[in-house]
Amino acid sequence: MRRVHVTVRGRVQGVGYRWSTRLVAEREQVTGWVRNRDDGTVEAELQGEPERLDAVLAWMAEGPPGSVVEARDVADLEPMESSGFDVR
């Protein structure tokens, strides 16, 4: 099990990025949350099997149509009990 904190920069608000992230995470059986930040970035914490988590992270580097991902920072965290996926 792997857990990460992700910050995505670029044109990632107002383009369905959070909702699309939720769909991809649920498809890959990854738990966690995603939210917009006041500085225009999107922040997320994700947890799942490494291969499935990597698939979500790869998608987050591209984002949905209409988004422009300029940078994505990923930091590992200690795994913890987690279920479901929230859009905050």
Side-chain angles (χ1 to χ4, degrees):
M1 192 66 61
R2 181 178 176 210
R3 181 174 165 234
V4 296
H5 179 267
V6 184
T7 304
V8 184
R9 292 172 175 73
R11 186 172 48 164
V12 292
Q13 290 189 11
V15 293
Y17 194 97
R18 290 177 302 150
W19 295 102
S20 297
T21 299
R22 177 179 168 221
L23 293 174
V24 172
E26 288 176 344
R27 180 187 71 213
E28 294 296 331
Q29 299 174 339
V30 168
T31 61
W33 55 264
V34 62
R35 68 180 172 193
N36 285 341
R37 291 178 42 174
D38 290 340
D39 64 1
T41 63
V42 169
E43 175 183 35
E45 282 192 12
L46 311 168
Q47 180 169 288
E49 296 299 324
E51 303 82 24
R52 293 181 175 273
L53 186 59
D54 287 346
V56 177
L57 291 172
W59 179 88
M60 290 179 82
E62 299 294 321
S67 68
V68 177
V69 176
E70 295 172 357
R72 187 197 65 182
D73 301 322
V74 180
D76 284 299
L77 302 170
E78 287 295 319
M80 59 182 264
E81 289 295 317
S82 179
S83 64
F85 197 91
D86 296 322
V87 175
R88 297 181 176 173

